[in-house]
PDB file of all heavy atoms in Angstrom:
ATOM      1  N   ALA A 178      -2.061 -25.182 -14.605  1.00 97.00           N
ATOM      2  CA  ALA A 178      -0.949 -24.872 -15.500  1.00 97.00           C
ATOM      3  C   ALA A 178      -1.252 -23.622 -16.308  1.00 97.00           C
ATOM      4  O   ALA A 178      -2.411 -23.279 -16.545  1.00 97.00           O
ATOM      5  CB  ALA A 178      -0.685 -26.079 -16.476  1.00 97.00           C
ATOM      6  N   VAL A 179      -0.134 -22.886 -16.646  1.00 98.00           N
ATOM      7  CA  VAL A 179      -0.329 -21.663 -17.446  1.00 98.00           C
ATOM      8  C   VAL A 179       0.703 -21.661 -18.553  1.00 98.00           C
ATOM      9  O   VAL A 179       1.786 -22.308 -18.478  1.00 98.00           O
ATOM     10  CB  VAL A 179      -0.146 -20.430 -16.564  1.00 98.00           C
ATOM     11  CG1 VAL A 179      -1.184 -20.313 -15.512  1.00 98.00           C
ATOM     12  CG2 VAL A 179       1.282 -20.363 -15.923  1.00 98.00           C
ATOM     13  N   ARG A 180       0.392 -20.968 -19.652  1.00 98.00           N
ATOM     14  CA  ARG A 180       1.289 -20.850 -20.804  1.00 98.00           C
ATOM     15  C   ARG A 180       1.704 -19.350 -20.845  1.00 98.00           C
ATOM     16  O   ARG A 180       0.852 -18.435 -20.828  1.00 98.00           O
ATOM     17  CB  ARG A 180       0.652 -21.255 -22.096  1.00 98.00           C
ATOM     18  CG  ARG A 180       1.591 -21.048 -23.290  1.00 98.00           C
ATOM     19  CD  ARG A 180       0.941 -21.485 -24.597  1.00 98.00           C
ATOM     20  NE  ARG A 180       0.796 -22.955 -24.671  1.00 98.00           N
ATOM     21  CZ  ARG A 180      -0.378 -23.616 -24.694  1.00 98.00           C
ATOM     22  NH1 ARG A 180      -1.532 -22.918 -24.575  1.00 98.00           N
ATOM     23  NH2 ARG A 180      -0.406 -24.924 -24.769  1.00 98.00           N
ATOM     24  N   ASP A 181       2.998 -19.103 -20.966  1.00 97.00           N
ATOM     25  CA  ASP A 181       3.470 -17.729 -21.066  1.00 97.00           C
ATOM     26  C   ASP A 181       3.651 -17.322 -22.543  1.00 97.00           C
ATOM     27  O   ASP A 181       3.417 -18.124 -23.468  1.00 97.00           O
ATOM     28  CB  ASP A 181       4.778 -17.511 -20.285  1.00 97.00           C
ATOM     29  CG  ASP A 181       5.969 -18.289 -20.824  1.00 97.00           C
ATOM     30  OD1 ASP A 181       6.044 -18.570 -22.018  1.00 97.00           O
ATOM     31  OD2 ASP A 181       6.937 -18.616 -20.058  1.00 97.00           O
ATOM     32  N   ASP A 182       4.015 -16.125 -22.778  1.00 97.00           N
ATOM     33  CA  ASP A 182       4.115 -15.557 -24.116  1.00 97.00           C
ATOM     34  C   ASP A 182       5.318 -16.070 -24.945  1.00 97.00           C
ATOM     35  O   ASP A 182       5.525 -15.682 -26.119  1.00 97.00           O
ATOM     36  CB  ASP A 182       4.089 -14.021 -24.124  1.00 97.00           C
ATOM     37  CG  ASP A 182       5.155 -13.422 -23.320  1.00 97.00           C
ATOM     38  OD1 ASP A 182       6.040 -14.129 -22.765  1.00 97.00           O
ATOM     39  OD2 ASP A 182       5.162 -12.156 -23.233  1.00 97.00           O
ATOM     40  N   ARG A 183       6.117 -16.948 -24.312  1.00 97.00           N
ATOM     41  CA  ARG A 183       7.164 -17.606 -25.039  1.00 97.00           C
ATOM     42  C   ARG A 183       6.769 -19.036 -25.403  1.00 97.00           C
ATOM     43  O   ARG A 183       7.568 -19.786 -25.956  1.00 97.00           O
ATOM     44  CB  ARG A 183       8.465 -17.655 -24.200  1.00 97.00           C
ATOM     45  CG  ARG A 183       8.954 -16.304 -23.807  1.00 97.00           C
ATOM     46  CD  ARG A 183      10.306 -16.351 -23.108  1.00 97.00           C
ATOM     47  NE  ARG A 183      10.700 -14.998 -22.590  1.00 97.00           N
ATOM     48  CZ  ARG A 183      11.880 -14.775 -22.080  1.00 97.00           C
ATOM     49  NH1 ARG A 183      12.782 -15.749 -21.941  1.00 97.00           N
ATOM     50  NH2 ARG A 183      12.157 -13.557 -21.637  1.00 97.00           N
ATOM     51  N   GLY A 184       5.570 -19.367 -25.073  1.00 97.00           N
ATOM     52  CA  GLY A 184       5.034 -20.685 -25.377  1.00 97.00           C
ATOM     53  C   GLY A 184       5.349 -21.762 -24.379  1.00 97.00           C
ATOM     54  O   GLY A 184       4.972 -22.945 -24.565  1.00 97.00           O
ATOM     55  N   GLU A 185       6.003 -21.395 -23.266  1.00 97.00           N
ATOM     56  CA  GLU A 185       6.358 -22.358 -22.271  1.00 97.00           C
ATOM     57  C   GLU A 185       5.202 -22.615 -21.298  1.00 97.00           C
ATOM     58  O   GLU A 185       4.546 -21.655 -20.839  1.00 97.00           O
ATOM     59  CB  GLU A 185       7.604 -21.892 -21.497  1.00 97.00           C
ATOM     60  CG  GLU A 185       8.135 -22.969 -20.516  1.00 97.00           C
ATOM     61  CD  GLU A 185       9.470 -22.476 -19.911  1.00 97.00           C
ATOM     62  OE1 GLU A 185      10.047 -21.540 -20.361  1.00 97.00           O
ATOM     63  OE2 GLU A 185       9.849 -23.152 -18.886  1.00 97.00           O
ATOM     64  N   VAL A 186       4.910 -23.869 -20.981  1.00 98.00           N
ATOM     65  CA  VAL A 186       3.862 -24.227 -20.047  1.00 98.00           C
ATOM     66  C   VAL A 186       4.479 -24.515 -18.733  1.00 98.00           C
ATOM     67  O   VAL A 186       5.504 -25.251 -18.577  1.00 98.00           O
ATOM     68  CB  VAL A 186       3.097 -25.445 -20.550  1.00 98.00           C
ATOM     69  CG1 VAL A 186       2.081 -25.896 -19.516  1.00 98.00           C
ATOM     70  CG2 VAL A 186       2.447 -25.181 -21.839  1.00 98.00           C
ATOM     71  N   HIS A 187       3.925 -23.933 -17.637  1.00 98.00           N
ATOM     72  CA  HIS A 187       4.379 -24.092 -16.277  1.00 98.00           C
ATOM     73  C   HIS A 187       3.240 -24.768 -15.492  1.00 98.00           C
ATOM     74  O   HIS A 187       2.148 -24.231 -15.330  1.00 98.00           O
ATOM     75  CB  HIS A 187       4.676 -22.715 -15.654  1.00 98.00           C
ATOM     76  CG  HIS A 187       5.601 -21.851 -16.470  1.00 98.00           C
ATOM     77  ND1 HIS A 187       6.937 -22.000 -16.416  1.00 98.00           N
ATOM     78  CD2 HIS A 187       5.335 -20.956 -17.462  1.00 98.00           C
ATOM     79  CE1 HIS A 187       7.519 -21.124 -17.304  1.00 98.00           C
ATOM     80  NE2 HIS A 187       6.541 -20.486 -17.941  1.00 98.00           N
ATOM     81  N   THR A 188       3.564 -25.935 -15.033  1.00 97.00           N
ATOM     82  CA  THR A 188       2.581 -26.779 -14.305  1.00 97.00           C
ATOM     83  C   THR A 188       2.888 -26.894 -12.851  1.00 97.00           C
ATOM     84  O   THR A 188       4.114 -27.046 -12.486  1.00 97.00           O
ATOM     85  CB  THR A 188       2.530 -28.162 -14.932  1.00 97.00           C
ATOM     86  OG1 THR A 188       2.244 -28.085 -16.326  1.00 97.00           O
ATOM     87  CG2 THR A 188       1.493 -29.037 -14.258  1.00 97.00           C
ATOM     88  N   GLY A 189       1.924 -26.860 -12.033  1.00 97.00           N
ATOM     89  CA  GLY A 189       2.134 -26.947 -10.531  1.00 97.00           C
ATOM     90  C   GLY A 189       0.977 -27.684  -9.933  1.00 97.00           C
ATOM     91  O   GLY A 189       0.044 -28.157 -10.561  1.00 97.00           O
ATOM     92  N   ASP A 190       1.009 -27.621  -8.556  1.00 97.00           N
ATOM     93  CA  ASP A 190      -0.111 -28.178  -7.796  1.00 97.00           C
ATOM     94  C   ASP A 190      -1.146 -27.095  -7.518  1.00 97.00           C
ATOM     95  O   ASP A 190      -2.298 -27.403  -7.141  1.00 97.00           O
ATOM     96  CB  ASP A 190       0.392 -28.777  -6.527  1.00 97.00           C
ATOM     97  CG  ASP A 190       1.342 -29.931  -6.761  1.00 97.00           C
ATOM     98  OD1 ASP A 190       0.918 -30.999  -7.236  1.00 97.00           O
ATOM     99  OD2 ASP A 190       2.552 -29.719  -6.506  1.00 97.00           O
ATOM    100  N   ALA A 191      -0.760 -25.831  -7.686  1.00 97.00           N
ATOM    101  CA  ALA A 191      -1.641 -24.700  -7.493  1.00 97.00           C
ATOM    102  C   ALA A 191      -1.103 -23.548  -8.259  1.00 97.00           C
ATOM    103  O   ALA A 191       0.084 -23.353  -8.390  1.00 97.00           O
ATOM    104  CB  ALA A 191      -1.788 -24.349  -5.974  1.00 97.00           C
ATOM    105  N   VAL A 192      -2.011 -22.706  -8.813  1.00 98.00           N
ATOM    106  CA  VAL A 192      -1.653 -21.461  -9.526  1.00 98.00           C
ATOM    107  C   VAL A 192      -2.367 -20.358  -8.816  1.00 98.00           C
ATOM    108  O   VAL A 192      -3.598 -20.361  -8.580  1.00 98.00           O
ATOM    109  CB  VAL A 192      -2.078 -21.512 -11.022  1.00 98.00           C
ATOM    110  CG1 VAL A 192      -1.790 -20.196 -11.700  1.00 98.00           C
ATOM    111  CG2 VAL A 192      -1.345 -22.680 -11.712  1.00 98.00           C
ATOM    112  N   VAL A 193      -1.598 -19.292  -8.471  1.00 98.00           N
ATOM    113  CA  VAL A 193      -2.183 -18.088  -7.812  1.00 98.00           C
ATOM    114  C   VAL A 193      -1.841 -16.881  -8.698  1.00 98.00           C
ATOM    115  O   VAL A 193      -0.673 -16.567  -8.922  1.00 98.00           O
ATOM    116  CB  VAL A 193      -1.604 -17.879  -6.415  1.00 98.00           C
ATOM    117  CG1 VAL A 193      -2.338 -16.651  -5.784  1.00 98.00           C
ATOM    118  CG2 VAL A 193      -1.879 -19.131  -5.568  1.00 98.00           C
ATOM    119  N   LEU A 194      -2.859 -16.224  -9.233  1.00 98.00           N
ATOM    120  CA  LEU A 194      -2.722 -15.023 -10.105  1.00 98.00           C
ATOM    121  C   LEU A 194      -2.838 -13.799  -9.196  1.00 98.00           C
ATOM    122  O   LEU A 194      -3.947 -13.506  -8.601  1.00 98.00           O
ATOM    123  CB  LEU A 194      -3.811 -15.010 -11.124  1.00 98.00           C
ATOM    124  CG  LEU A 194      -3.932 -16.308 -12.072  1.00 98.00           C
ATOM    125  CD1 LEU A 194      -5.116 -16.203 -12.961  1.00 98.00           C
ATOM    126  CD2 LEU A 194      -2.644 -16.493 -12.849  1.00 98.00           C
ATOM    127  N   CYS A 195      -1.741 -13.111  -9.059  1.00 98.00           N
ATOM    128  CA  CYS A 195      -1.731 -11.849  -8.278  1.00 98.00           C
ATOM    129  C   CYS A 195      -1.339 -10.761  -9.204  1.00 98.00           C
ATOM    130  O   CYS A 195      -0.231 -10.229  -9.270  1.00 98.00           O
ATOM    131  CB  CYS A 195      -0.729 -11.942  -7.117  1.00 98.00           C
ATOM    132  SG  CYS A 195      -1.023 -13.363  -5.958  1.00 98.00           S
ATOM    133  N   THR A 196      -2.326 -10.305 -10.007  1.00 95.00           N
ATOM    134  CA  THR A 196      -2.032  -9.431 -11.189  1.00 95.00           C
ATOM    135  C   THR A 196      -2.218  -7.999 -10.929  1.00 95.00           C
ATOM    136  O   THR A 196      -2.065  -7.186 -11.845  1.00 95.00           O
ATOM    137  CB  THR A 196      -3.003  -9.937 -12.353  1.00 95.00           C
ATOM    138  OG1 THR A 196      -4.332  -9.864 -11.922  1.00 95.00           O
ATOM    139  CG2 THR A 196      -2.675 -11.294 -12.807  1.00 95.00           C
TER     140      THR A 196
END
Side-chain angles (χ1 to χ4, degrees):
V179 296
R180 178 182 288 114
D181 66 27
D182 57 2
R183 301 185 186 188
E185 186 172 348
V186 175
H187 308 274
T188 302
D190 299 290
V192 176
V193 183
L194 306 173
C195 302
T196 56

